Amino acid sequence: MSGATTVALPPDIRTGSALTTHGLSFQHGREVTLTYPDLHLPAGAQLTITGPSGTGKTTLLHLLAGLLRPTTGEVRFGPTLVSAPQEGLREAFRRTQVGYVFQDFHLMPGLSALENVELGLRVAGTAQPHAKAKAALERLDLGKRLHHAPHQLSTGERQRVALARAVAHSPGLLLVDEPTAHLDRSRAGAALDLLCETADQLGATLIVVTHDPLVAGAFAQRIELGELGLGDKQ
Amino acid sequence: MNTSLWIAIRALRARRGALLLTVLAVALATATALTVPLVSRQVERGAQDAAQVFDLLIAAPGSPTQALTSSLFYLDAPNGNLPASVYQDLKTSPGTRRAVPIGLGDNHLGFPVVGTSTAFFDQRIKPKDPPYFRVAQGRIFGTEHEVVAGARAAREAGLRLGTTFKGAHGLEEAEQHEDEVEHEGVYRVVGILQPTGGPVDRALLTPIETIWEAHGQLTPASQQVTAVLYTSEQLAGIYTTVQRINAGGKAMAVLPGQVFAQARDVLAQGQAAYAGLSLLVLGIAALTVWLGVHAATLERQRTVALLRALGAGRPTVFGLVLTETLLTVTLGVLLGLGLALLVSGTGGQVLGSRLGFVLPAPQLTWPLALRALALIPLGLLAALPPAIGAARLSPLRYLSSS
């Protein structure tokens, strides 16, 4: 199956890289094949992918991040073929170009907030990782929680640490999975604002996966995935 | 700092309880494997040091080892006595640099009274070296019943210059004082030796004539010595003397080096068994490392999955597992080496004090250290399967989402 819909956003007004997908599908086991709409997102675009559970939203994020290789089609971020078969190339892409905020944050429990952010910078091979990690946390108002372990932080704080880790190395593509899953309504709005502002400051393309209609409604650009990933432009 | 090392240090810090147990297991195994060989070598070196001022020990026929432990270390009953004429012959033989008589049989508060001659104080390691036994206070003995006390004997028996005491029969202090037979003659301390760290520190040196008098050996024909410490003018003289003495049948010539070599051979058999046991202990330590590595697998897989998702390559996560193990085992081995040196140093002091000579500081040799260091490649070998597993792990395996 091929992509049923093409999602095109307004022309790029930034200097970053465009994200494009073409004919993207991913086979889960023998029976299920997820098919995704083609995307063309200019640098700095902000998009939400929504839809009920099981429609392949997170799988699409994984394909865009180079964590999975598509069964058919390709993903490009600027000149980089993200769907390339070479694992090293995809790893380098994730290290340098991708900031990923996991639904469950996936902070290392034995590390402090500062070390969790520094870890990402070290993997990315960034110079002065300690100072940059500190700066990233201070920008997200966590200057006083640098040395706290994840279990000593509130859910919102943990999410901000995960966001700091995702953006500290200034990625061009920020991928966020269910950012409000662990937050109440009052905090969810603030979290979304923070995500959009941070992506804006970086000039990064922001893609947020959510099943929450409130979050989806906050984005001007969105696609809604239906059964087996087939998407509708909105 | 290398990323793998940076993460490994923090991952180990997060599992410090388990880390401590593994490090302790490795350290104790290392110390167990090394302490006995270290102490054995200390004893060997200490014993050899004590025998370096003469070439040959001439004693009554019997066990060479017993002759050495009795006449040199004052730790055992002698094989028997020699006619004093053997000593006289050796003394006047051509090629003799020095012949020192040793007469045992009495003690004072457990410290052996050793009958000898003034030649005892002329013994040297090399001909041009200064005398090995030097008087710290007073002078060397001049007449019968005068005593030069070894440093430890003087200190522990409370002997000072001018102190007098009566010698008791026997090589060691009698347990039942009422049965102890005291000689009538009174000894008077006229000198105290500088400490040497050797068995002479425990000795109370007196002219051999005093011993003869105390034991009623008043005629030359009845006079006896326990042993003679013989030093030749030339190396060749040692072997001709050995042949001459041993051919005579009345006495036995003992080369201390040979006795030490035989003792080493006997010890080696025990040590071989101990080495086997040590290997078993080291094997258990390696198993502990293996268990430690595998016990942390689930937690590590989450870390590895995250690192892979962040873009860390397979070599980085492979290196992480090996680095964690390398740090753990190295810490354990280093702690074990320190522990082995500490225990053998302390144990050596206690043992030396019992044996009557100072044991030198424990000396860690490469072959010994390698026994413990072998744990490092063993540990790395144990870490290899989980390291390969980490390198193969899908980044998405433990990062579940909706």
Side-chain angles (χ1 to χ4, degrees), chain B residues 89-292:
Chain B
D89 287 349
L90 282 166
K91 190 177 161 187
T92 53
S93 288
T96 299
R97 182 188 297 279
R98 199 179 304 111
V100 179
I102 298 291
L104 301 172
D106 293 347
N107 80 87
H108 171 59
L109 301 176
F111 295 102
V113 175
V114 179
T116 186
S117 70
T118 53
F120 186 94
F121 302 98
D122 193 37
Q123 294 184 99
R124 300 150 201 263
I125 294 174
K126 291 176 187 167
K128 288 182 182 173
D129 283 352
Y132 190 73
F133 302 107
R134 277 170 281 184
V135 174
Q137 295 174 48
R139 57 176 173 79
I140 63 173
F141 51 70
T143 60
E144 290 175 30
H145 297 284
E146 288 186 342
V147 162
V148 176
R152 185 178 159 195
R155 188 178 64 247
E156 293 184 11
L159 302 176
R160 294 179 183 175
L161 295 182
T163 304
T164 58
F165 63 87
K166 281 190 174 180
H169 191 66
L171 290 171
E172 293 175 359
E173 189 180 16
E175 285 183 15
Q176 308 252 325
H177 287 271
E178 55 269 27
D179 295 342
E180 198 170 334
V181 181
E182 283 191 344
H183 291 300
E184 288 190 1
V186 173
Y187 293 98
R188 190 167 64 89
V189 178
V190 297
I192 295 170
L193 289 176
Q194 286 180 3
T196 62
V200 172
D201 285 357
R202 289 173 56 235
L204 298 166
L205 302 164
T206 189
I208 187 82
E209 291 80 4
T210 318
I211 303 294
W212 289 335
E213 185 199 298
H215 293 90
Q217 299 167 4
L218 301 176
T219 61
S222 64
Q223 287 164 351
Q224 294 181 323
V225 295
T226 308
V228 180
L229 308 180
Y230 175 83
T231 305
S232 170
E233 285 286 1
Q234 295 192 353
L235 193 62
I238 299 170
Y239 298 100
T240 52
T241 306
V242 170
Q243 284 172 351
R244 182 160 56 87
I245 295 288
N246 288 345
K250 280 194 292 187
M252 169 181 71
V254 177
L255 282 159
Q258 272 183 358
V259 175
F260 291 135
Q262 284 166 3
R264 197 164 39 233
D265 287 347
V266 173
L267 280 176
Q269 291 173 20
Q271 283 190 358
Y274 185 79
L277 186 70
S278 302
L279 278 179
L280 201 67
V281 175
L282 288 173
I284 292 169
L287 198 66
T288 312
V289 172
W290 184 84
L291 283 173

Side-chain angles (χ1 to χ4, degrees), chain A residues 121-174:
Chain A
L121 288 163
R122 283 183 174 274
V123 171
T126 311
Q128 296 179 305
H130 188 79
K132 285 182 180 166
K134 192 165 175 251
L137 285 165
E138 282 169 348
R139 271 200 302 276
L140 294 172
D141 204 21
L142 286 166
K144 290 181 180 170
R145 312 289 273 170
L146 297 177
H147 302 292
H148 288 66
H151 73 271
Q152 296 171 309
L153 301 172
S154 68
T155 308
E157 285 172 333
R158 285 206 294 277
Q159 189 182 45
R160 275 185 282 156
V161 173
L163 178 60
R165 183 178 64 194
V167 301
H169 60 297
S170 306
L173 181 61
L174 183 56

